[in-house]
Amino acid sequence: MSFKMKVFKATGRSLRLGAALAVISTVTLAGCTTTEVLNQGYVVDQTALDLTPVGSSREQVLLSLGTPSTTATFDNEVFYYISQKRTRAAMFMKPKLVEQSVLAVYFDEEGTVKQIANYTLQDGKVFDLITRTTPTGGLDKSFLAQVLSGTGSQSGASVARSILGTQ
């Protein structure tokens, strides 16, 4: 009978220890689920935007709004101020795009503001501010794949022979 009592006491102690570990791990994991908000790019300030009405000069726009995130490809007739808001539930998770704003300032031929537009995520495509790459058609081959497939000026066999020193 004393043997059963020791087993019961050991089991009770391990149950308390297990319960304590469960509470500690729950509290620890609860701290990991805080949502992190990441703001990237230009955040539009309404007072700075009020300083650039239609008819303002290009210099006045640069003084009040600052350097744009990007400009139009041809003739610099449009300044784009881009901002994104992303959230992620935990540090190891991929951020999710929640909000995007593109402030476009259009100029006429004389260099004065003719229109100001604010585009949101619902108005267009997602801008990728991080990689700054444009997807292209075709295959993206590594150096080794190009050498072995012979896409360079020499074929893969001739490159291998020149590296190995056999002609």
Side-chain angles (χ1 to χ4, degrees):
M1 185 136 174
S2 65
F3 177 71
K4 288 183 181 179
M5 197 66 172
K6 285 184 180 181
V7 171
F8 180 74
K9 284 183 181 179
T11 305
R13 191 176 321 141
S14 64
L15 283 176
R16 285 192 300 269
L17 181 63
L21 285 174
V23 169
I24 290 172
S25 64
T26 303
V27 170
T28 303
L29 289 176
C32 293
T33 60
T34 59
T35 302
E36 182 179 12
V37 178
L38 306 166
N39 288 311
Q40 295 175 315
Y42 181 82
V43 178
V44 177
D45 182 21
Q46 189 61 39
T47 57
L49 191 58
D50 292 339
L51 293 173
T52 57
V54 174
S56 304
S57 67
R58 190 180 309 260
E59 290 79 20
Q60 187 175 354
V61 171
L62 288 171
L63 285 173
S64 60
L65 295 177
T67 305
S69 303
T70 188
T71 59
T73 307
F74 302 105
D75 300 329
N76 291 333
E77 294 181 6
V78 184
F79 284 177
Y80 295 105
Y81 297 90
I82 304 168
S83 67
Q84 290 182 338
K85 181 179 180 181
R86 297 174 183 264
T87 60
R88 65 177 163 197
M91 195 65 152
F92 57 86
M93 294 181 72
K94 183 178 179 181
K96 178 183 176 189
L97 183 63
V98 176
E99 191 177 304
Q100 175 175 290
S101 173
V102 178
L103 177 69
V105 181
Y106 297 95
F107 296 98
D108 58 11
E109 294 81 24
E110 290 85 32
T112 59
V113 176
K114 68 176 179 180
Q115 179 186 359
I116 298 175
N118 193 6
Y119 303 110
T120 61
L121 189 60
Q122 291 79 22
D123 295 326
K125 293 184 176 181
V126 176
F127 282 76
D128 188 2
L129 295 177
I130 298 171
T131 59
R132 297 181 188 269
T133 58
T134 304
T136 58
L139 297 174
D140 187 18
K141 293 183 178 180
S142 67
F143 174 73
L144 185 59
Q146 289 177 13
V147 168
L148 295 177
S149 67
T151 57
S153 61
Q154 299 175 336
S155 69
S158 64
V159 170
R161 276 189 240 117
S162 66
I163 290 173
L164 296 174
T166 58
Q167 295 296 347

